[in-house]
Amino acid sequence: MAAEPHVAPNGPTIRESERCYPSEVLKAAACLPTATLHEAGGRIGVMPCAIKPVSPGFRLCGPAVTVHGPGGDNLWLHRAIYVAKPGDVLVVYVNGEYDYGYWGEIMSAAAQARHLAGLVVDGCVRDGAMLADAGFPIFARGLCVRGTGKDFGATGFINYPTLFDGLVVRPGDLIVGDGDGVVALPGDVAADIVEKAKQREDKEAEIVRRIQAGERTLEVYNF
């Protein structure tokens, strides 16, 4: 007898994943620096600057699956792994209670099995060396060994607009992370921002060429 298919977590505070731009936009964004995307979008989308890659080589790009979970609890992160679709990035808010290890080796293995594109968490993770070796891209505030609980009576949210400092990240927003940090680009204008970012990269390459040829920044920018 064939095994019954697994059912994704569901409930009144869980919504389906969203994305509103073609795969070509994702491919292009994956090759662009976060700083360029931020500038090309009109200096928008900067997630808290304390969030950095757990391993220096980590980079991620994909549509956001937003998660708002209780502080000190990672049950909603487990659920989000199985709500998210291949290529999605989990973007997690933990109610400002940063100093817990919300994610570790086992969860990275689960996310890789689901072919997710990465994790951005406004809190800490643990198993740092193992996470680096596993290669699943993780961006966090740092490392913390403190364990989390799992309160089955607590309310969380998956794929609802979520606030990170002054930035609202919405389901389906384009998330890009590199060594400088993480940007979240509104899904409905992501394609336009990526195109402007490509043009900006070409322009900056020409400016670098001019400076290397002997021009000064003062004249290049007419300062």
Side-chain angles (χ1 to χ4, degrees):
M1 179 182 295
E4 293 184 6
H6 292 293
V7 177
N10 60 79
T13 61
I14 297 176
R15 292 175 173 169
E16 290 287 325
S17 297
E18 300 179 18
R19 58 184 71 185
C20 54
Y21 35 82
S23 59
E24 291 76 12
V25 172
L26 285 172
K27 292 177 182 178
C31 300
L32 292 166
T34 54
T36 300
L37 291 164
H38 160 65
E39 294 283 357
R43 298 185 176 176
I44 64 170
V46 178
M47 296 200 66
C49 64
I51 299 175
K52 291 292 190 293
V54 171
S55 181
F58 280 169
R59 180 180 176 90
L60 57 74
C61 179
V65 168
T66 57
V67 185
H68 184 159
D73 190 306
N74 73 350
L75 178 59
W76 286 87
L77 278 75
H78 280 275
R79 290 170 172 160
I81 291 171
Y82 299 100
V83 173
K85 298 175 182 177
D88 285 344
V89 174
L90 302 182
V91 183
V92 183
Y93 178 68
V94 293
N95 272 325
E97 297 191 34
Y98 309 133
D99 293 336
Y100 288 87
Y102 287 95
W103 187 278
E105 179 187 17
I106 297 299
M107 297 176 79
S108 277
Q112 286 177 311
R114 293 279 296 164
H115 303 289
L116 305 189
L119 167 74
V120 178
V121 57
D122 195 16
C124 293
V125 298
R126 63 185 185 182
D127 301 335
M130 296 176 186
L131 296 180
D133 289 343
F136 180 73
I138 296 172
F139 286 66
R141 283 182 175 264
L143 300 175
C144 181
V145 299
R146 183 178 291 118
T148 57
K150 292 172 179 60
D151 184 351
F152 287 86
T155 299
F157 299 85
I158 298 176
N159 280 325
Y160 282 75
T162 306
L163 185 65
F164 295 83
D165 290 347
L167 174 69
V168 177
V169 179
R170 294 176 171 81
D173 282 357
L174 178 55
I175 308 299
V176 183
D178 61 17
D180 286 340
V182 182
V183 292
L185 308 178
D188 57 347
V189 294
D192 182 58
I193 292 174
V194 169
E195 184 57 37
K196 289 179 179 177
K198 290 160 61 178
Q199 295 171 8
R200 185 181 178 90
E201 282 288 284
D202 291 341
K203 182 178 179 181
E204 290 189 350
E206 173 60 16
I207 289 172
V208 169
R209 185 198 64 77
R210 291 171 61 186
I211 291 171
Q212 290 174 339
E215 292 189 59
R216 305 189 309 170
T217 58
L218 298 177
E219 283 74 42
V220 169
Y221 290 108
N222 195 31
F223 290 154

